[in-house]
Amino acid sequence: MILPMDLVLPHLLLATAWIVWCTLHSLLISVRWIGYMHRVLGARVAYYRLAYVVVSVLTLLPLLWYQWRIPTVTYWEWSWPWTILQWMGILIAGGIFYLAARQYNQLFFFGIQQVTDHLAERTSEFSGFTRSGILDHVRHPYYSAGILFLLAWGDVTTANLVLKMVGISYFIIGAVLEEHKLVREFGDAYRSYQQRVPMFVPRFHSSRKQRPS
């Protein structure tokens, strides 16, 4: 089914908006930009992560509203028994996300700890990568959950395909960039972790069993 000409522009605008949002979302948390913020804000950089999260959510909401508002073309709808596969994907994605959330400091992730530590005149720092729980089976569980969720969520429409393609590309590119940063920061320790633990598809047996004695 070909997209009617009167729907091309709204979907091009949607794709552009998603690409801009994903690009800014990554750039504003990049090492170089955060270093610049440290120089500009000084100790007040403790508020940056929380502000970043708030701005990310506030800019995401109108983008989602626009996606749901524009007319689109439906190519395929989930129907029985395919809905079983769909909800299995969504539930597995939710399970991976939950297991990942247990391994990360959520107060630090959302920027709340940085603010409270700043007010208490303490320093908040990322202590390093961990290999406990789900992180012993997959290196980027949040991205894995996001990719699986996007694949399973919603009927296949032009608008939803735009979200799926941009979103999955964003997760993959983001993971690759994050890998480079972690290798620079942790060196051989992270390279060894890369060799033993998959990037996106969980391997549900302990990678520690593969270590030479």
Side-chain angles (χ1 to χ4, degrees), residues 138-176:
V138 62
R139 301 201 303 272
H140 298 282
Y142 277 150
Y143 293 154
S144 300
I147 291 171
L148 183 56
F149 179 82
L150 285 177
L151 288 173
W153 182 257
D155 295 328
V156 181
T157 67
T158 306
N160 204 6
L161 279 174
V162 168
L163 172 58
K164 291 178 190 295
M165 289 188 291
V166 176
I168 292 173
S169 298
Y170 168 73
F171 287 136
I172 294 173
I173 294 171
V176 171

Side-chain angles (χ1 to χ4, degrees), residues 4 42 65 97 99 126 143 148 157 179 183 186 200:
W65 175 82
F97 187 89
L99 292 174
F126 177 63
Y143 293 154
L148 183 56
T157 67
E179 293 270 291
V183 167
F186 299 107
F200 293 120

Side-chain angles (χ1 to χ4, degrees), residues 5-196:
M5 288 303 298
D6 60 328
L7 299 184
V8 171
L9 180 58
H11 288 86
L12 285 176
L13 291 174
L14 178 66
T16 301
W18 274 119
I19 292 171
V20 169
W21 187 91
C22 290
T23 301
L24 289 176
H25 190 260
S26 294
L27 290 177
L28 293 177
I29 205 66
S30 65
V31 173
R32 181 173 296 182
W33 179 257
I34 294 298
Y36 175 73
M37 287 291 98
H38 271 279
R39 294 192 296 273
V40 171
L41 299 176
R44 290 175 297 175
V45 77
Y47 296 93
Y48 181 80
R49 178 75 187 194
L50 180 59
Y52 166 81
V53 171
V54 172
V55 171
S56 295
V57 173
L58 292 179
T59 53
L60 178 64
L61 293 177
L63 184 50
L64 291 173
W65 175 82
Y66 179 71
Q67 168 152 340
W68 291 330
R69 176 180 175 273
I70 63 173
T72 191
V73 174
T74 300
Y75 303 105
W76 189 74
E77 296 180 351
W78 290 97
S79 59
W80 182 264
W82 296 108
T83 49
I84 297 176
L85 183 63
Q86 179 191 24
W87 283 103
M88 282 180 60
I90 293 172
L91 290 173
I92 292 172
I96 294 173
F97 187 89
Y98 168 75
L99 292 174
R102 293 183 58 184
Q103 301 306 315
Y104 294 107
N105 182 341
Q106 298 302 307
L107 293 178
F108 189 91
F109 182 82
F110 288 105
I112 298 171
Q113 180 178 323
Q114 292 90 317
V115 173
T116 56
D117 284 349
H118 172 69
L119 295 175
E121 299 184 348
R122 297 190 301 264
T123 301
S124 294
E125 293 183 356
F126 177 63
S127 58
F129 74 95
T130 179
R131 290 184 52 184
S132 59
I134 188 68
L135 295 173
D136 191 42
H137 305 282
V138 62
R139 301 201 303 272
H140 298 282
Y142 277 150
Y143 293 154
S144 300
I147 291 171
L148 183 56
F149 179 82
L150 285 177
L151 288 173
W153 182 257
D155 295 328
V156 181
T157 67
T158 306
N160 204 6
L161 279 174
V162 168
L163 172 58
K164 291 178 190 295
M165 289 188 291
V166 176
I168 292 173
S169 298
Y170 168 73
F171 287 136
I172 294 173
I173 294 171
V176 171
L177 294 176
E178 188 173 328
E179 293 270 291
H180 289 312
K181 181 178 71 174
L182 290 168
V183 167
R184 287 196 304 269
E185 188 170 356
F186 299 107
D188 289 339
Y190 196 80
R191 291 189 186 92
S192 176
Y193 178 58
Q194 288 176 309
Q195 292 174 359
R196 293 187 173 94

